[in-house]
Amino acid sequence: MPDVVILTGAGISAESGLETFRAEDGLWAQHRIEEVCTPEALNRNPALVHEFYNKRRAALRDVAPNAAHEALAKFSAEFPGKILVITQNVDDLHERAGQSGLLHMHGELLSLKCTRCDFRQAFSGESHAEMPCPDCGAGRLRPDIVFFGEMPYFMDEIQKALSGCEVFIAIGTSGNVYPAAGFAELARHYGAESWLVNLDPPQNHRDFQRFFQGRAGEQVPLMLDDLRRWLTRA
């Protein structure tokens, strides 16, 4: 079991210049969720769904990992124990920073999946609604994104990790998207320390024992220094 489980959300990517979904001027202000991020939307207007994620995919080319991504990757490489990083983000900034031990619970922008079978393929260009599955031939490729109403990926593995870790840390999360918003409570139920890095207190801030308030790029390196000391003392 991992000693440390870290959950990252939109706040860590926002510092790299990526638009978040829930900010007042964010992506949901430009499109209703029902138009671009549900299975029904894909069936009703697949061209619009593909266009939306094509724009998100293109935006990745203009951004780079920030200090928070880099600090987490460095910590993971040096940490003598086990660490699992779970991200709600669909970008590839963690990977570009060199992060290991990473799970994308909401899918990945740089991936397509078949609507019929389990086939997935890496993809960085512009997708369209009529792309056939190269594996089964019967389905069409869609963005490999967990839509609202669909089950997040890796939930069995995540729940097992939360039940056995020593420390759970959330970084840049809104605290109102489940099941991720319940991770801190679950980890604490099993006896873990629970820490938070965020600009503002999220809705679930009472589930955390320590709160590092501020920008992720500034607070994550400081928090990781404290974590090294805490783990040595523990």
Side-chain angles (χ1 to χ4, degrees):
M1 299 299 292
D3 299 306
V4 179
V5 174
I6 297 175
L7 172 71
T8 66
I12 194 171
S13 293
E15 290 187 37
S16 290
L18 285 179
E19 291 182 281
T20 65
F21 286 88
R22 295 180 178 273
E24 290 184 5
D25 59 347
L27 297 172
W28 294 146
Q30 304 166 31
H31 292 275
R32 295 170 61 242
I33 293 172
E34 294 82 0
E35 295 176 341
V36 293
C37 199
T38 65
E40 294 77 15
L42 184 67
N43 290 331
R44 182 175 56 250
N45 193 345
L48 177 61
V49 173
H50 279 269
E51 178 186 5
F52 179 79
Y53 290 102
N54 283 339
K55 291 179 179 178
R56 308 285 74 74
R57 205 176 292 122
L60 291 181
R61 305 184 192 120
D62 299 324
V63 298
N66 60 57
H69 295 106
E70 292 167 354
L72 281 177
K74 185 174 185 293
F75 174 82
S76 299
E78 298 174 349
F79 182 53
K82 296 180 181 179
I83 184 167
L84 174 65
V85 177
I86 307 160
T87 186
Q88 295 172 277
N89 301 329
V90 295
D91 58 66
D92 66 339
L93 295 179
H94 279 301
E95 286 91 339
R96 281 196 261 163
Q99 182 65 56
S100 59
L102 178 67
L103 298 179
H104 280 271
M105 65 178 293
H106 289 161
E108 301 179 59
L109 275 175
L110 299 182
S111 176
L112 300 178
K113 72 174 183 178
C114 179
T115 56
R116 292 284 185 91
C117 68
D118 292 330
F119 177 80
R120 285 175 168 80
Q121 72 174 40
F123 187 83
S124 59
E126 290 197 2
S127 63
H128 59 81
E130 299 304 318
M131 295 178 68
C133 174
D135 190 50
C136 72
R140 294 291 181 266
L141 295 180
R142 55 161 274 188
D144 190 6
I145 303 295
V146 176
F147 291 155
F148 284 87
E150 296 180 330
M151 180 64 69
Y153 298 151
F154 308 112
M155 285 306 301
D156 288 344
E157 187 173 346
I158 290 170
Q159 290 180 6
K160 184 177 180 181
L162 292 171
S163 70
C165 66
E166 293 181 58
V167 185
F168 171 76
I169 298 165
I171 301 169
T173 64
S174 65
N176 59 8
V177 178
Y178 284 84
F183 289 175
E185 181 181 14
L186 180 61
R188 288 197 65 181
H189 171 77
Y190 286 103
E193 280 277 317
S194 188
W195 295 6
L196 171 68
V197 178
N198 221 41
L199 271 176
D200 301 298
Q203 291 191 10
N204 63 340
H205 70 276
R206 290 184 178 86
D207 293 327
F208 296 92
Q209 294 155 298
R210 293 196 61 181
F211 180 27
F212 298 79
Q213 186 166 10
R215 294 168 59 88
E218 299 170 353
Q219 293 298 318
V220 167
L222 298 176
M223 178 275 295
L224 291 174
D225 285 341
D226 278 9
L227 179 60
R228 291 183 182 95
R229 289 189 288 270
W230 188 90
L231 289 168
T232 300
R233 184 173 63 252

